[in-house]
Amino acid sequence: MNSPSKWRFVGFKMFIIYFVSMTISIMIMGYLSYNKANEIIQVNVGGVALQTVQQANKRLEMIMKEYENRSYFIFGYRELQKGILGEFRDNYERMQNTEQINKFLSSFANSKNDTANVFIFGEDAASYHYSLTSSPTFSVREPIEPMKQEQNWYTKIKEADGRPVWFGIRPSFIHENRPSEEAQPVFCYGRALKDIWGNGEIIGVLLIEIDPSEIQQILSEIDFKAFGTSIIVDRNNIVVGDSDGRSLLSPFELELTTETSGIKHMALDEKEMMVVYDQMAINDWKLVGMAPAQQLVKDSREIRLYTFYLATLFTVVAVILAWIIARQMHHPVQILLRSMRKAKEGDFETQIVNHRKDEFGILFDSFNIMVSRIKSLINELYVQRLLKKENQLKMLASQINAHFIYNTLDSIHWISRIHKVHDISTMIFGLSNYLRISLSDGRDKVTVREAVSLVESYLSVQKVRYQDKFEVNLEVDRELLDYEVLKFVFQPLVENAIYHGIESKRGKGRLDIRWIQKGGLLCFEVIDDGVGISPEKLRQIEEALESNDFTREENFALKNINSQIQLAYGEQYGLDLKSEWGDGTKVTLILPLS
């Protein structure tokens, strides 16, 4: 036989070269293009987000600088220092001084509508308090007690030696019987008061509480249009300001760098977050803005979709070109496939009579030889061996029956009882009972009484396995005990509740199982207080129950049960799921009373 010419292999080589190389090139190009576009978008979005945070930071710094300037009025008010020191010649002069301080604090507090409380704690003769939370209230008090002077906030203010000390948004330090609205969080700051007309010693402490709504409004505006959040953290990474007061005074979960500003990508609650921060010049706090990275770069999805369409188009072109080159191979392949299909169906008389001098000619000759050889082997050995194997299997099957299994499990059960291995005894007894009811003489249906026993046997095994992981409350309407139901639709629902709900829960769980009547229907309910099902996962399960596609493995058990019920009773019956993420799941199986 002459050696086949090289051109006869060009079609195959070109098909591989065109299809594989072009497809891989298109995929790599699309992947790199999308990643680069996504990177550029992230950089641009991050820059805009940082500018937004920096602008908001400047607004906050202006507000806090204005707060600081307010305190200078009190810091240098001569009559206030005179009242704190008690430098009066008589009671009349004291009264005059008190009236002037009242007017001064009233003017100070009313100059801005955001002042809540002004506390002036004197250490010598008197202290003062002016409140605007409900109605203007001025009071003169005794000098601050030594016990209060030891409190952390008081010592911080004194140690600052006249410089402002910022405490952020928090509950008031002063716990008094004040109206309920005064118990709301306030923005606190303070500074030490000095005897500036005397020896310069500290004579008291000023503590000012401001309505935080203006600061919270600024924080709420920094959302990057992507469900973001903004907070203020101090140098100890403690939250001292947020827009809604939910995370105040709690540690910030992410560690920020020592740089004054920056952009970081961090994982928070299993989500990739873009974190933008900028340091305040006035007190070393950091303004932090956070938003899900996917939300910020959601515009890149359009690029991804466009890239996908473009790659698909070029791939189609590559396939067409490869097909044009390879179509000359199509005819001999079809001849070989048709002959192989006949052999697969048992026709070993088939032969390929198409004579070729290329590689397909070699394949055709090999196929003809193979089919003839298989036919010979079948006649000589295969039938005899199959018959022998079938007889052996029948002999083995005849020795294994239900009674043998029950007796063996029962023996193990009593041996465990004798040796006081109660956990094994319980599990073996439950398994034995479970197998007995499951086999049920080959019947497809059992009574509700038997279904309850089947579930109880299964639970007895699982309780030993999980120990005190969960408790079970089983409720059965006795009027339902004699109704017949499908055998294998109850236990898998209980198993799902244990494995997917309670097993992942921290601590002990609860499982409620009920056979009840509702509106003339038999309802089997399985309720657990486990981890629940996320909304996305619940949507996927509901779509799976409505689908007739059994080729996918996801949620196969639930689809199987639902299909069994609808085939047996009708499409109006089946499964109903209700779940809240983190708050448990309720699965209801609805059957007719028949």
Side-chain angles (χ1 to χ4, degrees):
M1 183 181 292
N2 296 331
S3 177
S5 301
K6 292 183 178 180
W7 69 268
R8 298 181 183 275
F9 300 95
V10 171
F12 176 76
K13 291 181 179 180
M14 293 302 295
F15 176 81
I16 296 298
I17 292 173
Y18 271 99
F19 181 74
V20 175
S21 62
M22 291 185 66
T23 302
I24 293 177
S25 299
I26 291 168
M27 292 174 62
I28 293 176
M29 180 187 66
Y31 176 78
L32 294 177
S33 299
Y34 169 72
N35 277 358
K36 187 62 179 179
N38 191 50
E39 180 183 344
I40 294 173
I41 291 175
Q42 286 191 11
V43 171
N44 293 337
V45 170
V48 173
L50 181 58
Q51 290 180 1
T52 302
V53 169
Q54 289 174 339
Q55 291 174 359
N57 192 15
K58 290 179 181 179
R59 293 172 61 189
L60 291 173
E61 288 179 350
M62 292 177 59
I63 292 174
M64 295 177 68
K65 189 65 178 178
E66 193 271 334
Y67 291 165
E68 180 180 352
N69 292 335
R70 291 192 207 179
S71 65
Y72 283 116
F73 291 103
I74 298 178
F75 188 83
Y77 186 50
R78 180 70 180 89
E79 293 298 323
L80 179 62
Q81 296 201 354
K82 183 177 178 181
I84 293 174
L85 296 171
E87 299 173 346
F88 307 112
R89 291 171 295 183
D90 51 35
N91 191 47
Y92 177 77
E93 186 176 350
R94 181 189 300 276
M95 293 175 61
Q96 288 292 109
N97 175 265
T98 301
E99 183 64 25
Q100 290 178 359
I101 293 174
N102 184 11
K103 291 181 180 178
F104 170 76
L105 292 179
S106 175
S107 175
F108 172 84
N110 286 283
S111 63
K112 293 283 186 177
N113 294 328
D114 56 358
T115 303
N117 289 283
V118 179
F119 295 96
I120 301 168
F121 298 99
E123 296 183 355
D124 293 321
S127 298
Y128 303 94
H129 173 215
Y130 194 91
S131 174
L132 270 177
T133 53
S134 55
S135 59
T137 304
F138 173 75
S139 61
V140 182
R141 306 183 177 189
E142 296 294 327
I144 186 169
E145 302 172 358
M147 184 180 298
K148 289 186 177 180
Q149 294 184 35
E150 297 176 357
Q151 294 181 359
N152 186 45
W153 64 270
Y154 194 92
T155 57
K156 280 186 177 179
I157 295 176
K158 290 192 67 175
E159 289 172 358
D161 196 31
R163 297 185 302 275
V165 178
W166 306 94
F167 298 102
I169 302 175
R170 53 160 299 127
S172 175
F173 288 114
I174 312 304
H175 302 288
E176 299 178 345
N177 295 325
R178 292 184 287 159
S180 59
E181 60 268 24
E182 296 187 24
Q184 298 296 324
V186 291
F187 182 86
C188 302
Y189 71 101
R191 65 190 309 169
L193 297 175
K194 293 185 176 182
D195 184 6
I196 58 178
W197 278 275
N199 55 13
E201 293 182 351
I202 295 176
I203 60 176
V205 162
L206 167 66
L207 182 66
I208 300 177
E209 296 179 350
I210 304 293
D211 182 356
S213 58
E214 184 175 7
I215 295 177
Q216 290 178 328
Q217 177 62 29
I218 294 175
L219 294 177
S220 65
E221 292 172 357
I222 311 173
D223 62 353
F224 311 125
K225 297 181 180 180
F227 308 101
T229 57
S230 300
I231 59 174
I232 303 173
V233 298
D234 63 10
R235 64 186 66 186
N236 297 320
N237 226 32
I238 302 299
V239 178
V240 294
D242 63 4
S243 59
D244 53 15
R246 295 180 180 178
S247 57
L248 288 177
L249 304 183
S250 61
F252 184 46
E253 298 181 18
L254 305 178
E255 288 293 335
L256 302 177
T257 63
T258 56
E259 298 176 357
T260 57
S261 63
I263 304 171
K264 296 184 70 175
H265 288 268
M266 301 177 174
L268 182 63
D269 295 333
E270 299 182 355
K271 291 183 179 180
E272 183 182 359
M273 303 290 289
M274 177 180 285
V275 181
V276 184
Y277 60 94
D278 189 45
Q279 184 170 304
M280 296 183 178
I282 196 169
N283 54 7
D284 292 336
W285 288 355
K286 284 186 173 70
L287 175 60
V288 182
M290 299 176 292
Q294 290 298 325
Q295 290 291 334
L296 289 173
V297 295
K298 60 183 180 181
D299 292 339
S300 66
R301 296 175 185 173
E302 296 182 6
I303 298 177
R304 179 174 60 187
L305 191 61
Y306 176 76
T307 304
F308 172 77
Y309 287 148
L310 197 61
T312 302
L313 176 62
F314 285 131
T315 302
V316 171
V317 173
V319 171
I320 293 174
L321 291 175
W323 177 81
I324 292 174
I325 295 172
R327 65 179 179 178
Q328 293 183 359
M329 302 168 60
H330 178 72
H331 181 64
V333 169
Q334 288 298 310
I335 294 175
L336 182 60
L337 287 177
R338 284 195 296 268
S339 299
M340 292 180 67
R341 189 178 295 113
K342 290 179 181 179
K344 178 183 177 182
E345 294 172 353
D347 182 6
F348 295 105
E349 299 289 342
T350 183
Q351 292 287 304
I352 300 177
V353 296
N354 193 322
H355 299 289
R356 300 175 64 98
K357 295 182 179 181
D358 56 11
E359 64 271 28
F360 284 105
I362 299 174
L363 287 175
F364 293 165
D365 293 340
S366 299
F367 175 79
N368 292 336
I369 295 171
M370 179 187 68
V371 170
S372 300
R373 183 60 178 163
I374 290 175
K375 179 181 178 182
S376 175
L377 289 174
I378 289 175
N379 292 333
E380 293 177 6
L381 300 172
Y382 192 61
V383 173
Q384 291 83 353
R385 291 183 179 180
L386 283 179
L387 291 174
K388 182 178 179 181
K389 195 70 175 180
E390 183 178 357
N391 290 332
Q392 291 176 346
L393 291 174
K394 288 182 178 179
M395 290 176 64
L396 288 173
S398 66
Q399 297 175 23
I400 302 174
N401 52 54
H403 294 290
F404 174 72
I405 296 174
Y406 299 155
N407 293 337
T408 302
L409 292 175
D410 189 58
S411 298
I412 298 173
H413 165 67
W414 284 109
I415 291 172
S416 301
R417 292 284 298 272
I418 292 171
H419 291 279
K420 297 183 179 180
V421 186
H422 299 297
D423 287 347
I424 296 178
S425 174
T426 301
M427 294 184 75
I428 291 297
F429 181 76
L431 179 59
S432 175
N433 194 46
Y434 180 85
L435 290 174
R436 178 181 60 81
I437 300 173
S438 296
L439 293 175
S440 61
D441 298 329
R443 290 180 290 127
D444 293 330
K445 291 187 178 182
V446 294
T447 63
V448 172
R449 180 181 286 100
E450 290 175 310
V452 172
S453 181
L454 184 69
V455 171
E456 288 177 334
S457 299
Y458 172 77
L459 287 172
S460 68
V461 176
Q462 295 292 31
K463 283 183 178 179
V464 174
R465 176 187 175 189
Y466 287 96
Q467 298 297 324
D468 295 327
K469 177 63 178 177
F470 62 92
E471 60 177 288
V472 178
N473 177 34
L474 195 145
E475 177 185 345
V476 183
D477 187 343
R478 294 189 173 276
E479 295 183 0
L480 301 175
L481 291 176
D482 296 323
Y483 282 96
E484 286 195 343
V485 290
L486 289 177
K487 182 166 49 179
F488 293 114
V489 295
F490 302 101
Q491 177 267 336
L493 300 182
V494 179
E495 182 178 352
N496 271 0
I498 294 174
Y499 287 159
H500 301 295
I502 295 176
E503 185 176 13
S504 302
K505 176 185 178 180
R506 290 185 178 180
K508 189 173 183 178
R510 177 183 174 86
L511 193 61
D512 293 318
I513 303 173
R514 302 171 184 160
W515 278 270
I516 57 176
Q517 295 187 57
K518 285 186 180 180
L521 298 173
L522 189 156
C523 296
F524 174 67
E525 297 179 348
V526 180
I527 306 170
D528 68 81
D529 61 351
V531 296
I533 306 173
S534 65
E536 178 64 21
K537 181 64 176 178
L538 185 60
R539 183 184 62 79
Q540 293 177 2
I541 294 175
E542 291 174 346
E543 291 179 355
L545 293 180
E546 295 177 359
S547 172
N548 292 323
D549 183 11
F550 284 82
T551 61
R552 300 178 60 183
E553 295 181 359
E554 295 87 355
N555 311 304
F556 181 81
L558 293 176
K559 287 192 293 185
N560 193 337
I561 293 172
N562 198 57
S563 297
Q564 286 188 58
I565 296 168
Q566 292 183 349
L567 288 173
Y569 302 108
E571 295 186 357
Q572 66 270 36
Y573 305 104
L575 291 175
D576 178 62
L577 277 76
K578 293 181 181 178
S579 182
E580 291 289 335
W581 181 238
D583 197 28
T585 303
K586 177 181 179 182
V587 181
T588 303
L589 177 61
I590 303 173
L591 301 173
L593 286 173
S594 59

